[in-house]
Amino acid sequence: MPDRLPWEEACAFLRTELKTVTAATSVPTLEAAWGAFLRFGQQRFATPPLPDADGLLFQYGTHAFSGPPMFIVNFARQFAVIDDEGEHDHFVQVHCEFRYEPDVALDDLGSLTTWFFHDTGQDIGLWAESVERHLEPLLDRRPSAVEQYQERV
């Protein structure tokens, strides 16, 4: 896979994509960030030859991970990392996360988790269309916070 970027460059790649859709003094809109995330999701990275080595994740729901409950919309990309013997070691996830103050309308959306994996025969366009239907009720809302980060899981 010499034409693919190393997965270690994925966080910087997403950050660059997000900067292209963000005004200098504001945060990206959910719609603009989704477009940037899809461009990021279509860029292939060097990953092990495993069916779950490169996945896209869309999820939302109300959670209290680090404080009061917030409605969280999260776009993530997950890469499998192997050890020196070629065995699975861990995953790395690159996230773009939107946080909203909870309210009844958001609570009514419930929660959702949906994955797409490269190299499994899935169609990324069909997956993206299914995600976009879930984004529609959120497009007019202003998030309380937006964060882009990477973590080992």
Side-chain angles (χ1 to χ4, degrees):
M1 295 174 275
D3 59 332
R4 294 185 181 181
L5 296 172
W7 68 262
E8 293 89 348
E9 294 180 23
C11 194
F13 189 99
L14 178 57
R15 187 168 288 122
T16 299
E17 286 296 320
L18 289 169
K19 283 181 183 177
T20 67
V21 299
T22 306
T25 59
S26 69
V27 297
T29 65
L30 183 64
E31 187 173 27
W34 173 245
F37 182 78
L38 280 180
R39 286 188 300 280
F40 166 65
Q42 292 168 345
Q43 170 65 46
R44 297 304 307 271
F45 291 87
T47 57
L50 305 168
D52 65 348
D54 186 357
L56 306 178
L57 169 65
F58 170 76
Q59 58 188 345
Y60 65 67
T62 301
H63 305 282
F65 294 130
S66 59
M70 299 290 285
F71 186 82
I72 299 171
V73 176
N74 184 277
F75 311 133
R77 187 155 186 184
Q78 178 172 279
F79 299 102
V81 178
I82 57 175
D83 61 21
D84 293 337
E85 286 80 40
E87 299 295 323
H88 174 79
D89 188 58
H90 64 279
F91 291 106
V92 169
Q93 292 181 341
V94 176
H95 297 267
C96 181
E97 186 172 280
F98 285 71
R99 293 186 205 112
Y100 301 86
E101 296 296 327
D103 68 32
V104 173
L106 293 176
D107 288 343
D108 288 347
L109 294 175
S111 63
L112 174 76
T113 299
T114 180
W115 285 93
F116 166 84
F117 287 96
H118 288 286
D119 301 325
T120 61
Q122 290 180 287
D123 183 316
I124 193 170
L126 292 176
W127 178 79
E129 287 175 17
S130 72
V131 167
E132 288 162 7
R133 288 191 291 275
H134 295 284
L135 290 176
E136 288 175 16
L138 301 165
L139 295 179
D140 293 332
R141 293 183 173 268
R142 178 172 222 90
S144 300
V146 177
E147 186 178 1
Q148 196 263 317
Y149 61 96
Q150 179 175 307
E151 69 178 336
R152 179 182 170 147
V153 292

mmCIF file of all heavy atoms in Angstrom, residues 14-56:
data_model
loop_
_atom_site.group_PDB
_atom_site.id
_atom_site.type_symbol
_atom_site.label_atom_id
_atom_site.label_comp_id
_atom_site.label_asym_id
_atom_site.label_seq_id
_atom_site.Cartn_x
_atom_site.Cartn_y
_atom_site.Cartn_z
ATOM 1 N N LEU A 14 -7.739 14.944 9.143
ATOM 2 C CA LEU A 14 -9.077 15.401 9.494
ATOM 3 C C LEU A 14 -9.054 16.849 9.952
ATOM 4 O O LEU A 14 -9.917 17.641 9.565
ATOM 5 C CB LEU A 14 -9.695 14.505 10.574
ATOM 6 C CG LEU A 14 -11.087 14.934 11.057
ATOM 7 C CD1 LEU A 14 -12.090 15.008 9.897
ATOM 8 C CD2 LEU A 14 -11.587 14.005 12.151
ATOM 9 N N ARG A 15 -8.078 17.212 10.748
ATOM 10 C CA ARG A 15 -7.979 18.601 11.218
ATOM 11 C C ARG A 15 -7.884 19.558 10.024
ATOM 12 O O ARG A 15 -8.530 20.596 9.995
ATOM 13 C CB ARG A 15 -6.769 18.747 12.144
ATOM 14 C CG ARG A 15 -6.684 20.109 12.806
ATOM 15 C CD ARG A 15 -5.660 20.147 13.936
ATOM 16 N NE ARG A 15 -6.187 19.387 15.068
ATOM 17 C CZ ARG A 15 -5.585 18.340 15.615
ATOM 18 N NH1 ARG A 15 -4.439 17.911 15.149
ATOM 19 N NH2 ARG A 15 -6.121 17.718 16.641
ATOM 20 N N THR A 16 -7.112 19.198 9.009
ATOM 21 C CA THR A 16 -6.986 20.026 7.808
ATOM 22 C C THR A 16 -8.313 20.118 7.076
ATOM 23 O O THR A 16 -8.722 21.195 6.635
ATOM 24 C CB THR A 16 -5.888 19.461 6.881
ATOM 25 O OG1 THR A 16 -4.650 19.485 7.591
ATOM 26 C CG2 THR A 16 -5.765 20.259 5.604
ATOM 27 N N GLU A 17 -9.007 18.990 6.929
ATOM 28 C CA GLU A 17 -10.320 18.999 6.270
ATOM 29 C C GLU A 17 -11.295 19.897 7.022
ATOM 30 O O GLU A 17 -12.065 20.640 6.414
ATOM 31 C CB GLU A 17 -10.882 17.580 6.150
ATOM 32 C CG GLU A 17 -10.215 16.737 5.099
ATOM 33 C CD GLU A 17 -10.409 17.273 3.690
ATOM 34 O OE1 GLU A 17 -11.507 17.753 3.346
ATOM 35 O OE2 GLU A 17 -9.431 17.216 2.919
ATOM 36 N N LEU A 18 -11.287 19.834 8.346
ATOM 37 C CA LEU A 18 -12.193 20.661 9.139
ATOM 38 C C LEU A 18 -11.853 22.148 9.012
ATOM 39 O O LEU A 18 -12.748 22.991 8.981
ATOM 40 C CB LEU A 18 -12.168 20.233 10.602
ATOM 41 C CG LEU A 18 -12.818 18.886 10.892
ATOM 42 C CD1 LEU A 18 -12.508 18.435 12.306
ATOM 43 C CD2 LEU A 18 -14.323 18.941 10.655
ATOM 44 N N LYS A 19 -10.573 22.467 8.918
ATOM 45 C CA LYS A 19 -10.179 23.873 8.757
ATOM 46 C C LYS A 19 -10.691 24.451 7.445
ATOM 47 O O LYS A 19 -10.989 25.636 7.361
ATOM 48 C CB LYS A 19 -8.660 24.024 8.835
ATOM 49 C CG LYS A 19 -8.120 23.952 10.233
ATOM 50 C CD LYS A 19 -6.621 24.137 10.255
ATOM 51 C CE LYS A 19 -6.097 23.982 11.658
ATOM 52 N NZ LYS A 19 -4.630 24.094 11.714
ATOM 53 N N THR A 20 -10.808 23.625 6.410
ATOM 54 C CA THR A 20 -11.273 24.129 5.118
ATOM 55 C C THR A 20 -12.746 24.516 5.149
ATOM 56 O O THR A 20 -13.198 25.249 4.282
ATOM 57 C CB THR A 20 -11.052 23.105 3.972
ATOM 58 O OG1 THR A 20 -11.887 21.970 4.187
ATOM 59 C CG2 THR A 20 -9.599 22.695 3.855
ATOM 60 N N VAL A 21 -13.505 24.039 6.151
ATOM 61 C CA VAL A 21 -14.930 24.354 6.224
ATOM 62 C C VAL A 21 -15.276 25.229 7.429
ATOM 63 O O VAL A 21 -16.447 25.432 7.735
ATOM 64 C CB VAL A 21 -15.792 23.063 6.258
ATOM 65 C CG1 VAL A 21 -15.569 22.251 4.994
ATOM 66 C CG2 VAL A 21 -15.516 22.235 7.501
ATOM 67 N N THR A 22 -14.267 25.750 8.107
ATOM 68 C CA THR A 22 -14.491 26.524 9.315
ATOM 69 C C THR A 22 -14.006 27.952 9.117
ATOM 70 O O THR A 22 -12.864 28.172 8.716
ATOM 71 C CB THR A 22 -13.730 25.892 10.504
ATOM 72 O OG1 THR A 22 -14.106 24.529 10.607
ATOM 73 C CG2 THR A 22 -14.029 26.608 11.798
ATOM 74 N N ALA A 23 -14.868 28.915 9.428
ATOM 75 C CA ALA A 23 -14.444 30.313 9.409
ATOM 76 C C ALA A 23 -13.398 30.510 10.507
ATOM 77 O O ALA A 23 -13.376 29.793 11.505
ATOM 78 C CB ALA A 23 -15.643 31.230 9.640
ATOM 79 N N ALA A 24 -12.559 31.506 10.339
ATOM 80 C CA ALA A 24 -11.431 31.718 11.247
ATOM 81 C C ALA A 24 -11.863 31.896 12.705
ATOM 82 O O ALA A 24 -11.124 31.548 13.612
ATOM 83 C CB ALA A 24 -10.613 32.915 10.798
ATOM 84 N N THR A 25 -13.026 32.429 12.957
ATOM 85 C CA THR A 25 -13.432 32.719 14.338
ATOM 86 C C THR A 25 -14.595 31.867 14.824
ATOM 87 O O THR A 25 -15.218 32.187 15.817
ATOM 88 C CB THR A 25 -13.838 34.200 14.462
ATOM 89 O OG1 THR A 25 -14.913 34.433 13.542
ATOM 90 C CG2 THR A 25 -12.672 35.116 14.181
ATOM 91 N N SER A 26 -14.909 30.794 14.131
ATOM 92 C CA SER A 26 -16.042 29.980 14.568
ATOM 93 C C SER A 26 -15.725 28.497 14.474
ATOM 94 O O SER A 26 -14.642 28.099 14.077
ATOM 95 C CB SER A 26 -17.276 30.310 13.721
ATOM 96 O OG SER A 26 -17.094 29.855 12.398
ATOM 97 N N VAL A 27 -16.702 27.710 14.837
ATOM 98 C CA VAL A 27 -16.581 26.253 14.745
ATOM 99 C C VAL A 27 -17.314 25.801 13.493
ATOM 100 O O VAL A 27 -18.199 26.493 12.997
ATOM 101 C CB VAL A 27 -17.159 25.568 16.001
ATOM 102 C CG1 VAL A 27 -16.374 25.964 17.236
ATOM 103 C CG2 VAL A 27 -18.630 25.877 16.168
ATOM 104 N N PRO A 28 -16.989 24.633 12.983
ATOM 105 C CA PRO A 28 -17.705 24.153 11.785
ATOM 106 C C PRO A 28 -19.157 23.828 12.120
ATOM 107 O O PRO A 28 -19.474 23.440 13.241
ATOM 108 C CB PRO A 28 -16.934 22.902 11.388
ATOM 109 C CG PRO A 28 -16.296 22.428 12.648
ATOM 110 C CD PRO A 28 -15.999 23.670 13.452
ATOM 111 N N THR A 29 -20.019 23.992 11.153
ATOM 112 C CA THR A 29 -21.386 23.528 11.336
ATOM 113 C C THR A 29 -21.380 22.009 11.269
ATOM 114 O O THR A 29 -20.439 21.405 10.731
ATOM 115 C CB THR A 29 -22.315 24.071 10.241
ATOM 116 O OG1 THR A 29 -21.914 23.515 8.977
ATOM 117 C CG2 THR A 29 -22.294 25.601 10.187
ATOM 118 N N LEU A 30 -22.419 21.396 11.787
ATOM 119 C CA LEU A 30 -22.526 19.943 11.730
ATOM 120 C C LEU A 30 -22.519 19.465 10.277
ATOM 121 O O LEU A 30 -21.827 18.506 9.935
ATOM 122 C CB LEU A 30 -23.795 19.481 12.448
ATOM 123 C CG LEU A 30 -24.013 17.987 12.545
ATOM 124 C CD1 LEU A 30 -22.921 17.326 13.388
ATOM 125 C CD2 LEU A 30 -25.380 17.694 13.133
ATOM 126 N N GLU A 31 -23.247 20.161 9.424
ATOM 127 C CA GLU A 31 -23.310 19.783 8.014
ATOM 128 C C GLU A 31 -21.949 19.892 7.337
ATOM 129 O O GLU A 31 -21.526 18.991 6.612
ATOM 130 C CB GLU A 31 -24.334 20.653 7.295
ATOM 131 C CG GLU A 31 -24.594 20.249 5.874
ATOM 132 C CD GLU A 31 -25.750 21.035 5.264
ATOM 133 O OE1 GLU A 31 -26.014 22.164 5.697
ATOM 134 O OE2 GLU A 31 -26.378 20.481 4.345
ATOM 135 N N ALA A 32 -21.236 20.987 7.592
ATOM 136 C CA ALA A 32 -19.908 21.165 6.993
ATOM 137 C C ALA A 32 -18.921 20.137 7.538
ATOM 138 O O ALA A 32 -18.102 19.586 6.786
ATOM 139 C CB ALA A 32 -19.400 22.583 7.246
ATOM 140 N N ALA A 33 -19.003 19.856 8.836
ATOM 141 C CA ALA A 33 -18.095 18.867 9.434
ATOM 142 C C ALA A 33 -18.371 17.474 8.873
ATOM 143 O O ALA A 33 -17.437 16.706 8.642
ATOM 144 C CB ALA A 33 -18.234 18.854 10.950
ATOM 145 N N TRP A 34 -19.643 17.154 8.622
ATOM 146 C CA TRP A 34 -19.974 15.864 8.033
ATOM 147 C C TRP A 34 -19.337 15.741 6.651
ATOM 148 O O TRP A 34 -18.768 14.708 6.314
ATOM 149 C CB TRP A 34 -21.487 15.662 7.983
ATOM 150 C CG TRP A 34 -21.894 14.433 7.253
ATOM 151 C CD1 TRP A 34 -22.595 14.365 6.089
ATOM 152 C CD2 TRP A 34 -21.608 13.072 7.607
ATOM 153 N NE1 TRP A 34 -22.769 13.053 5.712
ATOM 154 C CE2 TRP A 34 -22.180 12.239 6.616
ATOM 155 C CE3 TRP A 34 -20.932 12.478 8.664
ATOM 156 C CZ2 TRP A 34 -22.085 10.852 6.664
ATOM 157 C CZ3 TRP A 34 -20.836 11.093 8.702
ATOM 158 C CH2 TRP A 34 -21.406 10.290 7.717
ATOM 159 N N GLY A 35 -19.432 16.808 5.834
ATOM 160 C CA GLY A 35 -18.797 16.774 4.509
ATOM 161 C C GLY A 35 -17.295 16.583 4.616
ATOM 162 O O GLY A 35 -16.704 15.793 3.866
ATOM 163 N N ALA A 36 -16.665 17.285 5.561
ATOM 164 C CA ALA A 36 -15.221 17.136 5.770
ATOM 165 C C ALA A 36 -14.899 15.713 6.235
ATOM 166 O O ALA A 36 -13.918 15.114 5.788
ATOM 167 C CB ALA A 36 -14.724 18.159 6.797
ATOM 168 N N PHE A 37 -15.728 15.171 7.125
ATOM 169 C CA PHE A 37 -15.498 13.818 7.613
ATOM 170 C C PHE A 37 -15.630 12.795 6.486
ATOM 171 O O PHE A 37 -14.852 11.842 6.413
ATOM 172 C CB PHE A 37 -16.459 13.482 8.758
ATOM 173 C CG PHE A 37 -16.227 12.115 9.330
ATOM 174 C CD1 PHE A 37 -15.176 11.895 10.202
ATOM 175 C CD2 PHE A 37 -17.035 11.044 8.982
ATOM 176 C CE1 PHE A 37 -14.932 10.631 10.726
ATOM 177 C CE2 PHE A 37 -16.811 9.780 9.502
ATOM 178 C CZ PHE A 37 -15.756 9.573 10.373
ATOM 179 N N LEU A 38 -16.599 12.990 5.593
ATOM 180 C CA LEU A 38 -16.736 12.054 4.470
ATOM 181 C C LEU A 38 -15.520 12.103 3.548
ATOM 182 O O LEU A 38 -15.064 11.059 3.067
ATOM 183 C CB LEU A 38 -18.001 12.340 3.679
ATOM 184 C CG LEU A 38 -19.280 11.800 4.270
ATOM 185 C CD1 LEU A 38 -20.477 12.149 3.389
ATOM 186 C CD2 LEU A 38 -19.205 10.298 4.489
ATOM 187 N N ARG A 39 -14.990 13.300 3.293
ATOM 188 C CA ARG A 39 -13.757 13.389 2.477
ATOM 189 C C ARG A 39 -12.620 12.653 3.188
ATOM 190 O O ARG A 39 -11.854 11.913 2.573
ATOM 191 C CB ARG A 39 -13.396 14.843 2.199
ATOM 192 C CG ARG A 39 -14.312 15.491 1.174
ATOM 193 C CD ARG A 39 -13.828 16.863 0.751
ATOM 194 N NE ARG A 39 -13.726 17.810 1.860
ATOM 195 C CZ ARG A 39 -14.756 18.468 2.384
ATOM 196 N NH1 ARG A 39 -15.975 18.288 1.926
ATOM 197 N NH2 ARG A 39 -14.564 19.307 3.379
ATOM 198 N N PHE A 40 -12.514 12.855 4.485
ATOM 199 C CA PHE A 40 -11.536 12.146 5.310
ATOM 200 C C PHE A 40 -11.780 10.633 5.246
ATOM 201 O O PHE A 40 -10.855 9.840 5.108
ATOM 202 C CB PHE A 40 -11.645 12.668 6.746
ATOM 203 C CG PHE A 40 -10.975 11.847 7.799
ATOM 204 C CD1 PHE A 40 -9.592 11.683 7.815
ATOM 205 C CD2 PHE A 40 -11.712 11.262 8.816
ATOM 206 C CE1 PHE A 40 -8.974 10.949 8.808
ATOM 207 C CE2 PHE A 40 -11.100 10.531 9.824
ATOM 208 C CZ PHE A 40 -9.727 10.372 9.817
ATOM 209 N N GLY A 41 -13.049 10.229 5.299
ATOM 210 C CA GLY A 41 -13.401 8.814 5.269
ATOM 211 C C GLY A 41 -13.097 8.141 3.945
ATOM 212 O O GLY A 41 -12.888 6.932 3.888
ATOM 213 N N GLN A 42 -13.068 8.913 2.868
ATOM 214 C CA GLN A 42 -12.766 8.347 1.553
ATOM 215 C C GLN A 42 -11.265 8.252 1.298
ATOM 216 O O GLN A 42 -10.829 7.515 0.418
ATOM 217 C CB GLN A 42 -13.463 9.162 0.469
ATOM 218 C CG GLN A 42 -14.966 8.983 0.545
ATOM 219 C CD GLN A 42 -15.737 9.965 -0.308
ATOM 220 O OE1 GLN A 42 -15.221 10.971 -0.764
ATOM 221 N NE2 GLN A 42 -17.005 9.667 -0.518
ATOM 222 N N GLN A 43 -10.475 9.005 2.059
ATOM 223 C CA GLN A 43 -9.013 8.911 1.953
ATOM 224 C C GLN A 43 -8.585 7.595 2.590
ATOM 225 O O GLN A 43 -8.898 7.322 3.742
ATOM 226 C CB GLN A 43 -8.345 10.084 2.685
ATOM 227 C CG GLN A 43 -6.843 9.962 2.836
ATOM 228 C CD GLN A 43 -6.106 9.991 1.521
ATOM 229 O OE1 GLN A 43 -6.383 10.828 0.683
ATOM 230 N NE2 GLN A 43 -5.158 9.089 1.340
ATOM 231 N N ARG A 44 -7.883 6.776 1.856
ATOM 232 C CA ARG A 44 -7.425 5.507 2.405
ATOM 233 C C ARG A 44 -6.079 5.685 3.088
ATOM 234 O O ARG A 44 -5.225 6.445 2.647
ATOM 235 C CB ARG A 44 -7.334 4.457 1.297
ATOM 236 C CG ARG A 44 -8.669 4.125 0.641
ATOM 237 C CD ARG A 44 -9.738 3.654 1.638
ATOM 238 N NE ARG A 44 -9.335 2.561 2.485
ATOM 239 C CZ ARG A 44 -9.475 1.282 2.184
ATOM 240 N NH1 ARG A 44 -10.040 0.921 1.054
ATOM 241 N NH2 ARG A 44 -9.060 0.359 3.016
ATOM 242 N N PHE A 45 -5.904 4.964 4.165
ATOM 243 C CA PHE A 45 -4.672 4.967 4.948
ATOM 244 C C PHE A 45 -4.105 3.551 4.969
ATOM 245 O O PHE A 45 -4.829 2.581 4.761
ATOM 246 C CB PHE A 45 -4.944 5.454 6.377
ATOM 247 C CG PHE A 45 -5.300 6.907 6.455
ATOM 248 C CD1 PHE A 45 -6.610 7.320 6.311
ATOM 249 C CD2 PHE A 45 -4.319 7.861 6.649
ATOM 250 C CE1 PHE A 45 -6.949 8.659 6.363
ATOM 251 C CE2 PHE A 45 -4.643 9.207 6.706
ATOM 252 C CZ PHE A 45 -5.970 9.610 6.562
ATOM 253 N N ALA A 46 -2.822 3.450 5.224
ATOM 254 C CA ALA A 46 -2.159 2.146 5.312
ATOM 255 C C ALA A 46 -2.615 1.467 6.604
ATOM 256 O O ALA A 46 -2.379 1.980 7.697
ATOM 257 C CB ALA A 46 -0.647 2.318 5.291
ATOM 258 N N THR A 47 -3.293 0.350 6.443
ATOM 259 C CA THR A 47 -3.803 -0.411 7.583
ATOM 260 C C THR A 47 -3.521 -1.892 7.355
ATOM 261 O O THR A 47 -3.273 -2.317 6.233
ATOM 262 C CB THR A 47 -5.320 -0.196 7.758
ATOM 263 O OG1 THR A 47 -5.988 -0.554 6.553
ATOM 264 C CG2 THR A 47 -5.640 1.243 8.121
ATOM 265 N N PRO A 48 -3.585 -2.685 8.403
ATOM 266 C CA PRO A 48 -3.377 -4.128 8.242
ATOM 267 C C PRO A 48 -4.466 -4.733 7.343
ATOM 268 O O PRO A 48 -5.568 -4.182 7.245
ATOM 269 C CB PRO A 48 -3.491 -4.679 9.662
ATOM 270 C CG PRO A 48 -3.420 -3.522 10.575
ATOM 271 C CD PRO A 48 -3.818 -2.317 9.799
ATOM 272 N N PRO A 49 -4.180 -5.856 6.713
ATOM 273 C CA PRO A 49 -5.165 -6.501 5.831
ATOM 274 C C PRO A 49 -6.219 -7.288 6.623
ATOM 275 O O PRO A 49 -6.312 -8.512 6.527
ATOM 276 C CB PRO A 49 -4.304 -7.416 4.961
ATOM 277 C CG PRO A 49 -3.145 -7.766 5.843
ATOM 278 C CD PRO A 49 -2.889 -6.543 6.686
ATOM 279 N N LEU A 50 -6.999 -6.564 7.413
ATOM 280 C CA LEU A 50 -8.059 -7.158 8.227
ATOM 281 C C LEU A 50 -9.378 -6.473 7.885
ATOM 282 O O LEU A 50 -9.399 -5.266 7.619
ATOM 283 C CB LEU A 50 -7.764 -6.958 9.721
ATOM 284 C CG LEU A 50 -6.428 -7.466 10.236
ATOM 285 C CD1 LEU A 50 -6.160 -6.947 11.633
ATOM 286 C CD2 LEU A 50 -6.425 -8.981 10.210
ATOM 287 N N PRO A 51 -10.503 -7.177 7.917
ATOM 288 C CA PRO A 51 -11.771 -6.554 7.526
ATOM 289 C C PRO A 51 -12.227 -5.425 8.444
ATOM 290 O O PRO A 51 -12.974 -4.558 8.030
ATOM 291 C CB PRO A 51 -12.774 -7.713 7.536
ATOM 292 C CG PRO A 51 -12.128 -8.809 8.281
ATOM 293 C CD PRO A 51 -10.651 -8.588 8.228
ATOM 294 N N ASP A 52 -11.760 -5.398 9.691
ATOM 295 C CA ASP A 52 -12.164 -4.324 10.601
ATOM 296 C C ASP A 52 -11.020 -3.348 10.883
ATOM 297 O O ASP A 52 -11.036 -2.618 11.870
ATOM 298 C CB ASP A 52 -12.692 -4.898 11.915
ATOM 299 C CG ASP A 52 -11.626 -5.642 12.708
ATOM 300 O OD1 ASP A 52 -10.535 -5.918 12.164
ATOM 301 O OD2 ASP A 52 -11.884 -5.957 13.885
ATOM 302 N N ALA A 53 -10.041 -3.292 9.991
ATOM 303 C CA ALA A 53 -8.852 -2.467 10.220
ATOM 304 C C ALA A 53 -9.087 -0.986 9.986
ATOM 305 O O ALA A 53 -8.335 -0.151 10.472
ATOM 306 C CB ALA A 53 -7.697 -2.943 9.338
ATOM 307 N N ASP A 54 -10.126 -0.635 9.225
ATOM 308 C CA ASP A 54 -10.374 0.767 8.891
ATOM 309 C C ASP A 54 -11.884 0.981 8.846
ATOM 310 O O ASP A 54 -12.544 0.600 7.889
ATOM 311 C CB ASP A 54 -9.740 1.097 7.532
ATOM 312 C CG ASP A 54 -9.820 2.566 7.170
ATOM 313 O OD1 ASP A 54 -10.408 3.364 7.924
ATOM 314 O OD2 ASP A 54 -9.276 2.920 6.101
ATOM 315 N N GLY A 55 -12.414 1.573 9.911
ATOM 316 C CA GLY A 55 -13.860 1.742 10.005
ATOM 317 C C GLY A 55 -14.265 3.170 10.295
ATOM 318 O O GLY A 55 -13.540 3.927 10.947
ATOM 319 N N LEU A 56 -15.442 3.534 9.801
ATOM 320 C CA LEU A 56 -16.053 4.831 10.084
ATOM 321 C C LEU A 56 -17.228 4.590 11.016
ATOM 322 O O LEU A 56 -17.995 3.638 10.833
ATOM 323 C CB LEU A 56 -16.538 5.497 8.801
ATOM 324 C CG LEU A 56 -15.516 5.665 7.685
ATOM 325 C CD1 LEU A 56 -16.184 6.306 6.469
ATOM 326 C CD2 LEU A 56 -14.336 6.483 8.139
#
